[in-house]
Every structure is written in C-alpha cells, then in structure tokens.
C-alpha cells in the first residue's frame, strides 16, 4: 500500500519484521475484587480511591464493565457515581440498579499483577511493563504472523487460568499499533494487525485513539476538520510540525503506522540517587563525610551497573526542622569516575561544616548511555540554559538549588 513519499534521511516507510504484543487487563482493580469475592462477578463493581465504605468521599479508580453500562468511569467523584448506582446496602428501590463499592487495595492488586507478569515473562523475548496492568512484549523470535493470533490467545488463556482475569491483547509490528489494537476490542479482546495493514487499521479510528493525543489536541485538530487518524496521516507534516513541533512529527508518523521504538525492558533513568538519615541531627564532620562517601560509592556502583556516565553531581542536605538544601556541580563532560564523584560530593558538603544535619543524599544526573539510547545527553545538549560554557580543563562550579531531588533510596 502507499505510505506516501519517503523523505531523505527518514527511516523507510515500511513496517518492520517485529512482532509486538500489548497486553492490558480488563477493568483491572474491579476484576481483582470480583476474583476475591466471586459473588461480585457479573455485577456493577466500583473501586474508589480515597473511598471508605459507607461514605461518598473519593473518586472512581475503575469500574467493572457492568458498572460502566451505567456511565460510571474512572476519575468520576464517588458522590456522582452513587446517584446513578446507589450502594447495594443503601438503596430504597429493591428493583433498581445497585453498585458494589470497594476501596482501593493496592497490595492485593500488585500481587495479582505479579502473577500476570510471571505469565508474560514466560511468553516474551523482551518484556516492558508500563503500568500495573499493562505491558509490551517483543515476541519476534517466538512466533510468526501466521500463528500470531494463536499465540495471543495462549497468553490470554494462561493469564485467565493463573489469575481468573481477562486481558485484552493487541499484536502488531509496532508498539503504537499494538497498543491501539489491544484497546480496539475490549474486554477480552484479541486484535492482530499484520505488517502492511497498520495504516489501514488506524485510518478510520477517531483521532483521540492515537496514543499521545489528549483531549486538548483532539479538540484543536477537530476544529481543523481532522477527526480520524487517517485525516491526520493525510495532513502535510509541516503543518503539524509548525503547530506541535517534534511531537507533531511523531504523531504524524504514528498515524502513518510508523513507530520505530524498540521494546526495551525499561527506560533509562534520568538520575540516580541515594540518601540516608541520621538517627538524630549531627554536626560531626567526619560522621557526615563518611556517610556521604558511602552513599557516593553506592551511587557510583549503581551508575556503572546501569552503564551510565554522569555529568552532574549533586548533594542534598536536610537540616532541622526539615529544610532541604541541594547543591550541584557539572563536569565538562560525562564520566564514570567514582573518585571524582566522591571528591565532588565532599567538596559540596564543605560549606555545611558546623550545620546540624539530619539527612544527606548524593545524586548523579545528566546521564548518558554510550551503549544505548542517549536520551539524557540529548536533553542536556538541547537545553540552552544548561549548555556547558565552562572551559574544557576546569570543572565549572554550578552551585545552585535543584528543584527536585529524588526521594527514597535511589530513583530510576
Ligand atoms: P486502565 O487499564 O486504564 O483501566 P482498567 O484496567 O480499569 O480498564 P480497561 O478494561 O479499560 O483497561 O487502568 C488500570 C488500573 O489503573 C485500573 O483498574 C485502575 C487504575 N486507574 C486509576 O486508579 N485511575 C484512573 O484514572 C485510571 C484510568 C486507572
Ligand atoms: Mg486495563
């Protein structure tokens, strides 16, 4: 089929040979509740965040498909939901519709999700988990297009046997098309889009089915009579680029069935950090130095383990009552140099001598990954505020407050 002209330097406008599966569980939290309480199966179940039984506080996290028939949807206030679907225990009308409301129980849903992931791990060469109930699998080496539907069915069957849950599965040669496909026939769906059919499959779908288009963009586009993905694909890319920059170009390519993203186990971290609290605030310089040194070592190890080079080194100091101060310094280029990391962290600490310290942390950022995708490095280079104007021999002091320092133990 015609994919339009190929611009010099752009990737070939053909589908690749990859076979990508996207799996998304159906009304996940509600389905978990229906498993735990089989009496709820086939009934309108509403799972509320910030909800406690007997009250109407909170919002809908998700609703079973039975409840969705009454217009209940994610993010709706519980107090609105109960007007269409009164709680079973409180209704005056014995013949009217009733809802079964349950509070969110993340620990339980996480344990079910782990069971599902075990099935997915068995099925994939590469697995990328994107949320609690959603993952991409690269199965190129495991199956062929002629038997892909059967492969998808077997994934669905194994999830059902192991957890009782239904999943919707999309199979396509790109991540984007696989995601749209899994959403296309929910619940319990299985949609296979073969190479060469992607653009055709997407064309009639409403514009907001394109991943990356939110309600605002959809509205703006509809004002220009662009209401289907096919309409978007037919637009000159220059118009989209002018309106939306690089994002416009990506959306245009997706609409044409092009999405070169590989299924990667996870994204590269933007920063790596470790922090640690003292049992009580301390002014003892050597105690703080020792702690900082060991945190810096741990961060350096972690960076090596991730294959990351770092260009910015930062520390975080928490002083009583709970003041957070951060300092950072950028090097002229990305390094894997634990000694420099430790030395820099200690130098940054020097100004806090004599200050009572409750907690210390070390962070490396502006990461680059020479063996993989260099997202972080590219971001650094494209940000003029951060362009390195220092000399190449001297380390440039850039002591400034970071607006964010990742909490907890390390952030990836
Ligand atoms: P989704 O996969 O978006 O929704 P779902 O699994 O409930 O329904 P569908 O069959 O359409 O896939 O999200 C997964 C879980 O994430 C969902 O069960 C509850 C939670 N969630 C929220 O807490 N708030 C939200 O606004 C949404 C959309 C989901
Ligand atoms: Mg889901």
């Amino acid at each position: 089929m015609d994919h339009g002209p190929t611009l010099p330097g752009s990737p070939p406008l053909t589908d690749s040979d990859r076979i990508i599966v996207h799996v998304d569980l159906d009304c996940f939290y509600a389905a978990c509740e229906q498993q735990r309480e089989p009496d709820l199966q086939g009934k309108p179940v509403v799972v509320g965040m910030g909800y406690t039984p007997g009250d109407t506080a909170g919002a809908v996290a998700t609703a079973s498909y039975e409840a969705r028939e009454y217009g209940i949807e994610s993010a709706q206030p519980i107090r609105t939901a109960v007007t269409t679907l009164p709680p079973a225990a409180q209704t005056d009308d014995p013949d009217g519709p009733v809802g079964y409301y349950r509070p969110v129980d993340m620990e339980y849903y996480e344990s079910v999700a782990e069971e599902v992931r075990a099935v997915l791990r068995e099925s994939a060469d590469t697995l990328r988990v994107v949320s609690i109930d959603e993952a991409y699998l690269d199965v190129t080496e495991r199956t062929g297009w002629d038997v892909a539907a059967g492969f998808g069915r077997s994934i669905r069957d194994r999830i059902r046997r192991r957890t009782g849950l239904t999943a919707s599965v999309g199979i396509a040669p790109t991540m984007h098309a696989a995601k749209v496909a899994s959403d296309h026939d929910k619940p319990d769906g299985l949609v296979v889009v073969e190479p060469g059919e992607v653009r055709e499959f997407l064309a009639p779908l409403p514009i907001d089915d394109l991943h990356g288009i939110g309600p605002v963009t959809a509205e703006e586009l509809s004002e220009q009579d662009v209401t289907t993905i096919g309409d978007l694909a037919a637009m000159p890319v220059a118009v989209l680029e002018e309106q939306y920059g690089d994002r416009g170009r990506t959306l245009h390519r997706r609409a044409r069935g092009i999405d070169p993203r590989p299924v990667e186990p996870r994204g590269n971290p933007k920063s790596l950090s470790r922090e640690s609290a003292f049992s009580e605030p301390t002014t003892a310089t050597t105690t703080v130095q020792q702690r900082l040194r060991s945190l810096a070592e741990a961060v350096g190890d972690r960076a090596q383990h991730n294959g990351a080079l770092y260009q910015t080194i930062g520390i975080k100091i928490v002083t009583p009552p709970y003041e957070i101060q951060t300092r950072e310094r950028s090097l002229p280029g990305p390094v894997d140099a634990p000694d420099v990391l430790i030395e820099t962290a200690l130098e940054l600490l020097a100004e806090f001598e004599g200050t009572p310290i409750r907690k210390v942390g070390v962070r490396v950022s502006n990461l680059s990954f020479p063996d993989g995708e260099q997202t972080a490095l590219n971001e650094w280079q494209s940000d003029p505020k951060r362009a390195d104007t220092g000399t190449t021999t001297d380390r440039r002091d850039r002591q400034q407050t970071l607006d964010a320092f990742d909490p907890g133990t390390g952030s990836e």
Side-chain angles (χ1 to χ4, degrees):
M1 68 190 291
D2 178 27
H3 285 277
T6 306
L7 297 170
S10 60
L13 298 184
T14 53
D15 296 325
S16 76
D17 308 332
R18 294 175 301 151
I19 306 179
I20 297 174
V21 179
H22 182 255
V23 177
D24 190 312
L25 299 166
D26 301 321
C27 57
F28 180 52
Y29 296 0
C32 289
E33 296 296 343
Q34 288 173 322
Q35 279 308 306
R36 176 155 61 182
E37 286 180 72
D39 282 355
L40 295 180
Q41 275 168 25
K43 297 194 175 142
V45 174
V46 181
V47 179
M49 9 180 196
Y51 162 80
T52 40
D55 198 1
T56 58
V60 176
T62 197
S64 68
Y65 279 77
E66 296 83 3
R68 290 182 197 193
E69 282 175 22
Y70 294 92
I72 310 294
E73 56 184 26
S74 296
Q76 199 175 60
I78 297 285
R79 96 183 102 67
T80 311
V82 296
T83 60
T84 21
L85 216 47
Q90 293 168 21
T91 182
D92 307 327
D93 176 3
D95 302 322
V98 290
Y100 298 83
Y101 290 76
R102 297 291 180 270
V104 166
D105 179 355
M106 278 323 288
E107 210 174 310
Y108 169 55
Y109 309 147
E110 194 41 67
S111 71
V112 179
E114 187 43 47
E115 294 283 307
V116 175
R117 286 196 287 268
V119 172
L120 300 183
R121 270 194 290 271
E122 288 162 9
S123 317
D125 300 321
T126 313
L127 174 68
R128 175 160 196 151
V129 174
V130 289
S131 77
I132 191 165
D133 84 328
E134 189 188 341
Y136 292 92
L137 292 69
D138 188 316
V139 300
T140 311
E141 305 297 325
R142 305 279 183 116
T143 188
W145 284 109
D146 49 341
V147 289
F151 189 81
R153 217 168 283 125
S154 95
I155 294 177
R156 246 182 6 179
D157 291 349
R158 278 179 294 132
I159 293 173
R160 196 201 306 258
R161 274 203 298 277
R162 190 149 174 168
T163 65
L165 300 187
T166 65
S168 292
V169 172
I171 308 183
T174 67
M175 286 177 73
H176 176 257
K179 174 154 175 93
V180 177
S182 77
D183 218 26
H184 195 62
D185 194 22
K186 259 186 171 294
D188 204 18
L190 173 64
V191 174
V192 179
V193 185
E194 294 204 15
E197 293 175 355
V198 177
R199 190 167 167 180
E200 236 166 8
F201 163 70
L202 296 173
L205 302 178
I207 195 76
D208 47 8
D209 279 7
L210 192 81
H211 199 43
I213 295 208
V216 175
T217 312
E219 179 63 33
E220 284 166 6
L221 289 168
S222 78
E223 283 164 12
Q224 301 164 61
D225 283 333
V226 176
T227 58
T228 66
I229 298 182
D231 295 340
L232 187 82
M235 278 175 88
V237 66
V239 174
L240 285 162
E241 272 183 321
E242 191 176 316
Q243 263 177 277
Y244 302 110
D246 285 350
R247 188 173 144 246
R249 190 175 150 81
T250 302
L251 295 175
H252 189 250
R253 292 176 60 176
R254 284 187 186 168
R256 292 177 159 226
I258 304 157
D259 175 15
R261 289 174 300 163
V263 177
E264 289 180 317
R266 60 177 172 76
N268 286 328
K270 293 251 190 291
S271 67
L272 297 164
S273 62
R274 286 283 182 278
E275 59 182 60
S276 165
F278 297 105
S279 47
E280 55 188 66
T282 177
T283 51
T285 309
T286 48
T287 308
V288 180
Q289 282 177 338
Q290 268 169 10
R291 186 71 65 92
L292 196 73
R293 180 184 287 274
S294 84
L295 292 168
E297 264 170 18
V299 170
D301 278 355
R302 191 72 193 194
Q304 256 169 15
H305 178 78
N306 280 270
L309 303 181
Y310 35 90
Q311 187 159 1
T312 300
I313 294 165
I315 64 163
K316 166 177 169 176
I317 302 292
V318 182
T319 58
Y322 205 90
E323 295 273 317
I324 299 172
Q325 307 207 46
T326 54
R327 298 289 184 272
E328 69 171 352
R329 184 180 295 171
S330 285
L331 310 173
V335 296
D336 163 18
D339 291 348
V340 175
L341 170 52
I342 293 168
E343 186 200 330
T344 308
L346 290 172
E347 284 171 19
L348 293 171
L349 177 68
E351 78 168 272
F352 295 94
E353 178 136 21
T355 312
I357 294 176
R358 192 187 272 285
K359 202 178 199 186
V360 286
V362 174
R363 174 170 94 158
V364 292
S365 55
N366 289 315
L367 305 182
S368 48
F369 299 84
D371 298 329
E373 216 188 327
Q374 301 211 358
T375 350
L377 183 62
N378 292 337
E379 273 171 21
W380 163 263
Q381 287 168 338
S382 65
D383 184 346
K385 290 198 294 299
R386 297 177 132 198
D388 191 351
T389 53
T391 66
T392 47
T393 47
D394 284 328
R395 245 189 266 140
R396 202 157 51 92
D397 267 339
R398 286 176 22 91
Q399 299 202 347
Q400 64 174 46
T401 302
L402 300 172
D403 36 14
F405 198 102
D406 309 295
T409 52
S411 57
E412 279 116 71

